């Protein structure tokens, strides 16, 4: 039976930590763990998911929840409440529903103070370990079984797989999932519900694997299922370019930069894995013509229409072809091959720097697996690769839908938002220990130092004082995580230390302020990881077809709102520190909101779905800055936008398709989504609707209260997180955090009988 272990570093000599592994969450299979009844309960949950997989695609993330609730012997003792038709919500009813949600959510807290959860799946680690020969040692039989379960569970009815669990099928994910099934031991016609034959049919019916997009072409070339000459040029010499050039690594968005860093190393090496009998079979299965007859140069820019979100201009294709024609024939021959050798050395130096400063976690899953493979190619028996292997468990997550290789983890993000929700409840006497543990986690998770050495020459920004998205070991500063972590610490600093623990030293708060102030752009918006400001025209060179606006760093509504909220509170509690800079920051940020608001009153959301998410954040930031319905046109327009979208049941519901279309798209059947209803309820409260007409707020609160389950949980519904416009992210804890937070705000700020 599977068991989640917290803050456990194990006995591997190749793993190390900056804070004794606080925030680490890893799964372990123990054949002796659990009694027969518990094992039967897990199997029932898995079977139930399979039967209902097309009704609710995201998993409810039940396995760790079942484990924690049993370990803590949690039993809901607060009576369930319902609001009947025509019945008013009383203060007592709202309080009861809120307390039930708070007690349930508190029971899910880990021993080190954070809230665990999955954070979206990814799959190339299977292919990487197949190449290195470590697949069976890292993923023995029980792991393979659960990985296949995940693949089966998320196969679409048409036989393909999408970029996320709710997405339409595309070539990229269908080919990679098919290859993974075959690597994990399924035959050409094997797999549950004929998964392999159905997947292969989808691939061949849509033109075969030659129409996989750029990143997929690179992976297939590494495996020996494609040829590097059919890939867009990724010369490692790019890492030798001086900083004064308009196109240079430091000017790329960090995620994109760290994908292409190891990818260019593998491209420069023209690395191809050993050609096994399985690879020879896959060459026949994935292509519509014999492998040795494919004209690879002609398919370089070919992309299936299902994958083509960011079409490329002809000029871009000419640029990539020119780079290939005018560089590769020379850089692979003497004497220019000496430059290629130097470029590969510099590229690997950057890879090692990133690995060491993230404790071999790296910034996220795609980068992790490519860096790991690059280290193996450099030295299959070296310590670098062994340190990578030691951190693979950090990416494994298991739910009732099987094992998924997640993007990494959202430990800090979920915990800071969860603590804010609990603090809004004002239940200190009931949940004091939960608050103390959460405060301790935040204290131990703040990044204490900048990267070592001349970190700017390694394309890194300051991170001292920040909080990451996941845990301290990962080391990458994120503006909204820093802002939310800072706000929690500020709120807790004015509470009795005997209840919530000692407050963080002011100097560490000042370090966090320094990070936030450093990330504001000239337009007033806040970037996420590094300062923005690179020329927008560089986006035209984005080689990826799957993603848009990923080549350079951007400003984000959500990050800007979080920063305003934290800075306003900081200025109140620490009025003497950088007061003028903070006031200027807030003024410019408010102007940014007003400048980019859409004509309908909404804002586009980059990290959640989509217009409801960003509009809640913007209203939250504007309210913190003192803007109201009466003194700010942007607030009035935003409130009117949200009110027009309220559904008959009192809720709101928005499809992930809004992110792709950049236009509000309701859920199919005009369904409500509880998480989005909670966002909107809070946004309207921030707009001052309680003083004007509280009726829409009462209707939304009624839906939340009546949707609460017997144990205090809320049902899992559609996916709520977003990234890169096309890549949605599943945050299972959102279904607990946001309804709880919304009920707390409603109870506190809306007059009730």
């Amino acid at each position: 039976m599977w068991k989640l272990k917290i803050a456990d570093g194990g006995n591997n000599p190749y793993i190390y930590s900056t804070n004794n592994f606080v925030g680490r969450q890893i799964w372990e299979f123990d054949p002796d763990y659990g009694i027969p009844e518990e094992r039967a309960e897990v199997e029932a949950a898995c079977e139930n998911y399979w039967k209902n997989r097309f009704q609710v695609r995201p998993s409810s993330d039940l396995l760790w929840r079942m484990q924690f609730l049993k370990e803590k012997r949690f039993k809901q003792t607060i009576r369930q409440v319902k609001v009947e038709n025509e019945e008013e919500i009383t203060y007592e009813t709202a309080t009861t529903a809120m307390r039930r949600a708070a007690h349930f959510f508190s029971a899910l807290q880990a021993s080190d103070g954070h809230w665990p959860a999955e954070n979206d799946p990814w799959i190339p680690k299977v292919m990487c370990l197949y190449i290195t020969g470590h697949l069976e040692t890292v993923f023995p039989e029980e792991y393979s079984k659960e990985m296949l379960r995940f693949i089966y569970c998320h196969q679409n009815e048409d036989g393909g797989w999408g970029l996320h669990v709710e997405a339409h099928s595309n070539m990229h994910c269908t080919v990679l999932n098919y290859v993974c099934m075959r690597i994990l031991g399924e035959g050409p016609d094997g797999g549950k519900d004929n998964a392999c034959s159905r997947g292969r049919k989808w691939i061949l019916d849509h033109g075969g694997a030659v129409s996989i997009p750029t990143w997929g072409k690179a992976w297939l070339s590494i495996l020996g299922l494609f040829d590097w000459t059919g890939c867009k040029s990724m010369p490692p010499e790019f890492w030798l370019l001086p900083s004064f050039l308009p196109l240079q690594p430091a000017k790329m968005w960090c995620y994109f930069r760290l994908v292409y860093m190891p990818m260019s190393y593998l491209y420069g090496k023209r690395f191809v894995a050993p050609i096994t009998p399985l690879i020879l079979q896959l060459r026949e299965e994935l292509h519509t013509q014999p492998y040795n007859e494919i004209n690879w140069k002609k398919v370089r820019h070919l992309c299936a229409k299902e994958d083509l979100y960011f079409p490329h201009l002809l000029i871009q294709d000419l640029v990539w072809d020119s780079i290939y024609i005018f560089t590769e024939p020379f850089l692979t021959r003497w004497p220019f091959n000496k430059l290629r050798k130097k470029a590969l050395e510099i590229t690997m130096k950057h890879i090692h720097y990133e690995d060491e400063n993230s404790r071999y976690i790296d910034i996220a899953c795609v980068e992790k697996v490519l860096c790991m493979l690059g280290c193996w190619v450099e030295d299959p028996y070296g310590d670098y690769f062994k340190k990578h292997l030691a951190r693979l468990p950090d990416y494994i997550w298991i739910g009732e839908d099987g094992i998924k290789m997640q993007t990494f983890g959202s430990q800090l993000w979920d915990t800071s938002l969860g603590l804010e929700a609990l603090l809004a409840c004002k239940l200190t006497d009931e949940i004091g220990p939960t608050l103390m543990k959460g405060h301790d986690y935040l204290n131990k998770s703040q990044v204490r130092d900048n990267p070592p050495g001349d970190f700017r020459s390694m394309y890194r920004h300051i991170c001292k004082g920040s909080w990451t998205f996941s845990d301290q070991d990962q080391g990458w500063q994120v503006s909204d995580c820093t802002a939310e972590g800072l706000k929690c610490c500020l709120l807790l600093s004015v509470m009795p230390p005997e209840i919530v623990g000692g407050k963080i030293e002011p100097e560490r708060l000042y370090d966090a302020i320094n990070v936030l102030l450093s990330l504001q752009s000239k337009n007033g918006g806040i970037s996420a990881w590094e300062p923005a400001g690179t020329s927008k025209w560089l986006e035209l060179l984005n080689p990826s077809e799957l993603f848009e606006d990923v080549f350079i760093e951007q400003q984000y509504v959500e990050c800007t709102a979080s920063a305003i909220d934290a800075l306003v509170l900081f200025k109140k509690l620490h009025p003497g520190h950088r007061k003028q800079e903070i006031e200027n920051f807030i003024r410019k940020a408010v102007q940014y909101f007003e400048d980019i608001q859409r004509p309908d009153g909404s804002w586009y959301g980059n990290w959640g779905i989509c217009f409801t998410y960003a509009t809640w954040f913007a209203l939250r930031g504007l309210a913190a800055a003192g803007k109201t319905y009466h003194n700010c046109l942007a607030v009035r327009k935003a409130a009117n936008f949200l009110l027009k979208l309220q559904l008959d049941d009192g809720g709101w519901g928005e499809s992930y398709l809004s992110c792709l279309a950049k236009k509000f798209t309701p859920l199919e059947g005009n369904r409500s989504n509880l998480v989005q209803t909670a966002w909107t309820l809070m946004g309207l409260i921030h707009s001052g609707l309680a003083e004007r007409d509280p009726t829409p707020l009462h209707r939304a609160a009624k839906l939340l209260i009546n949707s609460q389950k017997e144990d205090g949980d809320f049902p899992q519904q559609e996916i709520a997180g977003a990234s890169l416009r096309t890549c949605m992210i599943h945050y299972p804890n959102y279904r607990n955090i946001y309804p709880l937070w919304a009920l707390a705000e409603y109870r506190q700020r809306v007059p009730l009988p």
Side-chain angles (χ1 to χ4, degrees):
M1 188 169 164
W2 294 93
K3 181 178 183 180
L4 182 64
K5 302 175 74 174
I6 300 297
D8 189 320
N11 299 313
N12 193 318
Y14 292 100
I15 192 171
Y16 57 100
S17 173
T18 56
N19 67 347
N20 201 27
F21 301 101
V22 168
R24 193 179 194 223
Q25 44 187 34
I26 59 172
W27 286 91
E28 177 182 84
F29 182 78
D30 183 350
D32 300 321
Y33 178 65
I35 60 176
E37 289 81 1
E38 292 171 344
R39 297 176 189 176
E41 187 179 3
V42 169
E43 283 304 314
C46 295
E47 185 61 28
N48 183 64
Y49 179 85
W50 170 259
K51 290 179 179 178
N52 297 285
R53 65 192 185 281
F54 296 126
Q55 278 68 55
V56 180
R57 295 299 187 95
S59 80
S60 296
D61 210 12
L62 292 177
L63 269 60
W64 76 271
R65 290 169 173 249
M66 292 160 59
Q67 174 189 329
F68 275 32
L69 294 175
K70 284 185 174 66
E71 289 175 350
K72 298 181 182 183
R73 299 179 181 178
F74 173 78
K75 184 175 178 60
Q76 184 62 263
T77 58
I78 305 169
R79 65 181 180 86
Q80 189 169 12
V81 290
K82 297 288 183 182
V83 182
E84 302 297 333
N85 290 335
E86 309 303 324
E87 182 184 357
E88 282 190 321
I89 301 175
T90 65
Y91 183 83
E92 181 183 356
T93 298
T95 300
T96 300
M98 182 196 72
R99 289 181 62 230
R100 298 178 76 250
H103 282 254
F104 179 83
F105 185 58
S106 295
L108 297 176
Q109 188 180 33
S111 56
D112 65 355
H114 87 276
W115 275 267
E118 76 164 77
N119 187 246
D120 207 40
W122 194 250
I123 51 177
K125 293 177 185 60
V126 172
M127 297 183 289
C128 179
L129 292 173
Y130 174 75
I131 292 168
T132 66
H134 293 78
L135 183 61
E136 293 181 0
T137 55
V138 174
F139 295 144
E141 182 180 354
E142 286 296 331
Y143 288 77
S144 297
K145 171 187 170 184
E146 294 300 331
M147 285 189 283
L148 285 169
R149 187 200 299 272
F150 177 80
I151 293 173
Y152 302 150
C153 280
H154 295 291
Q155 186 173 27
N156 290 330
E157 292 177 279
D158 64 4
W161 286 264
L163 198 56
H164 55 88
V165 296
E166 292 182 7
H168 68 269
S169 299
N170 70 6
M171 186 64 71
H172 183 81
C173 293
T174 302
V175 169
L176 296 187
N177 274 287
Y178 182 85
V179 170
C180 283
M181 285 193 295
R182 298 286 279 113
I183 287 174
L184 291 171
E186 294 291 7
D189 299 313
K192 189 171 184 176
D193 203 21
N194 299 314
C196 286
S197 57
R198 291 169 58 224
R200 185 171 65 255
K201 184 178 186 304
W202 193 97
I203 294 167
L204 299 177
D205 286 350
H206 291 78
V210 292
S211 59
I212 197 170
T214 297
W215 289 10
K217 283 179 167 64
W219 267 111
L220 295 186
S221 298
I222 290 166
L223 282 164
L225 298 173
F226 203 83
D227 193 279
W228 281 112
T229 58
C231 293
K232 292 175 183 174
S233 185
M234 295 175 274
E237 289 74 21
F238 180 65
W239 306 96
L240 300 177
L241 295 178
S243 59
F244 63 80
L245 292 177
L247 180 59
Q248 196 262 350
K251 297 171 183 176
M252 293 175 70
W253 182 44
C254 57
Y255 267 67
F256 223 54
R257 180 173 72 238
L258 291 169
V259 167
Y260 278 95
M261 183 186 292
M263 202 177 278
S264 68
Y265 179 82
L266 296 166
Y267 175 89
K269 283 275 192 179
R270 291 298 192 277
F271 171 76
V272 178
I275 305 302
T276 64
L278 175 59
I279 296 300
L280 294 175
Q281 292 174 35
L282 285 169
R283 285 181 174 181
E284 296 180 5
E285 295 166 21
L286 292 173
H287 298 291
T288 57
Q289 65 183 109
Y291 185 82
N292 58 6
E293 295 179 11
I294 297 172
N295 186 329
W296 300 107
K297 294 180 182 179
K298 283 191 174 182
V299 301
R300 183 178 295 149
H301 305 298
L302 188 62
C303 180
K305 62 181 176 58
E306 292 80 7
D307 300 64
L308 189 59
Y309 182 70
F310 181 65
H312 293 158
L313 299 173
L314 176 61
I315 186 66
Q316 190 194 129
D317 292 342
L318 291 174
V319 167
W320 296 119
D321 286 344
S322 299
I323 292 173
Y324 182 86
I325 293 169
F326 295 110
T327 62
E328 290 306 315
F330 299 101
L331 292 170
T332 54
R333 293 178 174 84
W334 187 90
F336 300 103
N337 58 0
K338 293 182 179 180
L339 181 63
R340 172 59 52 94
K341 181 181 178 182
K342 176 67 173 178
L344 290 169
E345 290 173 355
I346 294 297
T347 305
M348 184 51 69
K349 178 182 177 182
H350 282 282
I351 292 172
H352 290 326
Y353 188 86
E354 164 63 13
D355 289 343
E356 288 289 332
N357 288 289
S358 63
R359 274 49 65 182
Y360 288 81
I361 297 169
D362 295 312
I363 195 169
C365 58
V366 180
E367 296 82 355
K368 159 72 178 179
V369 69
L370 286 166
C371 287
M372 180 170 71
L373 183 58
C375 288
W376 182 81
V377 171
E378 182 196 34
D379 183 359
Y381 306 103
D383 286 353
Y384 295 127
F385 177 65
K386 292 174 183 177
K387 290 175 182 178
H388 265 296
L389 285 177
R391 279 295 189 174
L392 275 180
D394 295 67
Y395 279 93
I396 295 171
W397 193 264
I398 182 164
E400 64 272 25
D401 57 343
I403 279 183
K404 64 273 317 235
M405 307 298 171
Q406 55 182 1
T407 54
F408 178 41
S410 55
Q411 297 97 303
L412 190 284
W413 179 245
D414 286 3
T415 299
S416 58
L417 294 175
L419 284 172
E420 287 185 67
L422 290 170
L423 287 165
C425 296
K426 300 189 181 302
L427 297 175
T428 307
D429 292 343
E430 299 181 33
I431 58 172
T434 300
L435 299 177
M436 179 175 282
K437 285 202 300 181
H439 194 190
D440 183 62
Y441 169 76
L442 291 177
N443 182 16
K444 293 176 179 175
S445 297
Q446 188 182 22
V447 177
R448 302 297 185 91
D449 296 294
N450 288 320
D454 183 9
F455 58 87
R456 296 189 188 278
S457 71
M458 305 305 286
Y459 318 126
R460 288 295 299 267
H461 186 57
I462 60 171
C463 59
K464 183 181 180 182
S466 69
W467 278 271
T468 71
F469 185 60
S470 51
D471 61 21
Q472 189 192 77
D473 279 341
Q474 192 254 8
W476 269 91
Q477 72 286 345
V478 189
S479 62
D480 53 358
C481 298
T482 299
E484 302 295 351
L486 172 63
K487 185 182 177 185
C488 282
C489 291
L490 292 169
L491 291 170
L492 290 161
S493 71
V494 297
M495 299 176 69
E498 63 272 15
I499 296 177
V500 300
K503 59 185 178 182
I504 291 179
E505 299 88 344
E507 289 73 18
R508 290 172 55 194
L509 302 179
Y510 301 162
D511 288 337
I513 295 297
N514 190 48
V515 171
L516 292 177
L517 294 180
S518 75
L519 293 173
Q520 186 172 43
S521 301
K522 290 181 180 179
N523 67 359
I526 311 301
S527 54
W529 289 270
E530 299 169 329
T534 302
S535 300
K536 295 286 186 182
W537 66 265
L538 287 174
E539 279 293 347
L540 296 174
L541 298 178
N542 170 18
S544 169
E545 303 88 350
L546 285 168
F547 311 115
E548 185 182 29
D549 289 340
V550 293
F551 199 77
I552 61 174
E553 179 66 286
Q554 313 280 340
Q555 299 85 21
Y556 305 103
V557 170
E558 305 96 308
C559 298
T560 306
S562 292
I564 292 176
D565 209 17
L567 288 170
V568 168
L569 181 58
F570 176 84
K571 186 165 74 80
K572 178 181 177 181
L573 298 179
H574 298 267
H577 184 74
R578 302 178 74 170
K579 179 181 178 181
Q580 190 60 53
E581 290 177 76
I582 291 172
E583 289 177 350
N584 290 338
F585 181 105
I586 294 168
R587 176 182 51 79
K588 290 172 61 180
V590 168
Q591 186 63 51
Y592 167 76
F593 284 145
E594 295 174 344
D595 290 343
I596 69 163
Q597 188 177 28
R598 295 162 65 96
D600 64 2
S602 68
W603 286 269
Y604 181 89
N606 284 275
W607 308 112
I609 300 172
C610 170
F611 296 102
T612 46
Y613 183 70
T615 303
W616 162 57
F617 261 102
L619 285 169
R620 178 188 176 205
L622 288 168
K627 300 299 179 180
T628 69
Y629 188 88
H630 302 292
N631 68 16
C632 181
L633 176 61
V635 172
R636 293 195 294 275
K637 289 171 62 179
N640 292 335
F641 166 78
L642 294 175
L643 287 170
K644 290 176 183 177
L645 298 173
Q646 190 168 29
L647 300 170
D648 291 342
D649 64 0
W652 283 263
E654 184 177 5
S655 168
Y656 78 88
L657 295 172
S658 291
C659 300
L660 285 74
K662 303 176 190 175
K663 179 182 178 181
F664 181 86
T665 307
L667 287 169
E668 186 178 353
N670 281 327
R671 299 190 308 273
S672 288
N673 179 284
L674 297 177
V675 171
Q676 292 167 349
T677 298
W679 292 339
T680 311
L681 174 57
M682 289 190 286
L684 289 172
I685 289 173
H686 287 307
S687 79
L689 187 62
E691 292 80 36
R692 301 191 307 277
D693 177 15
T695 302
L697 306 178
H698 295 319
R699 294 176 60 214
K702 178 179 177 180
L703 177 64
L704 295 178
I705 291 169
N706 288 345
S707 299
Q708 191 175 36
K709 298 169 71 174
E710 186 176 350
D711 59 1
D713 196 2
F714 290 89
Q716 179 62 54
Q717 296 176 304
E718 296 83 6
I719 206 163
S723 175
L724 311 180
R725 302 204 192 284
T726 56
C727 194
M728 306 304 119
I729 300 179
H730 180 31
Y731 292 90
N733 282 334
Y734 277 14
R735 75 174 189 264
N736 301 108
I737 293 169
Y738 286 113
L740 167 62
W741 198 349
L743 287 172
E745 294 285 351
Y746 173 77
R747 166 184 175 263
Q748 183 72 17
R749 301 176 61 175
V750 180
L752 297 172

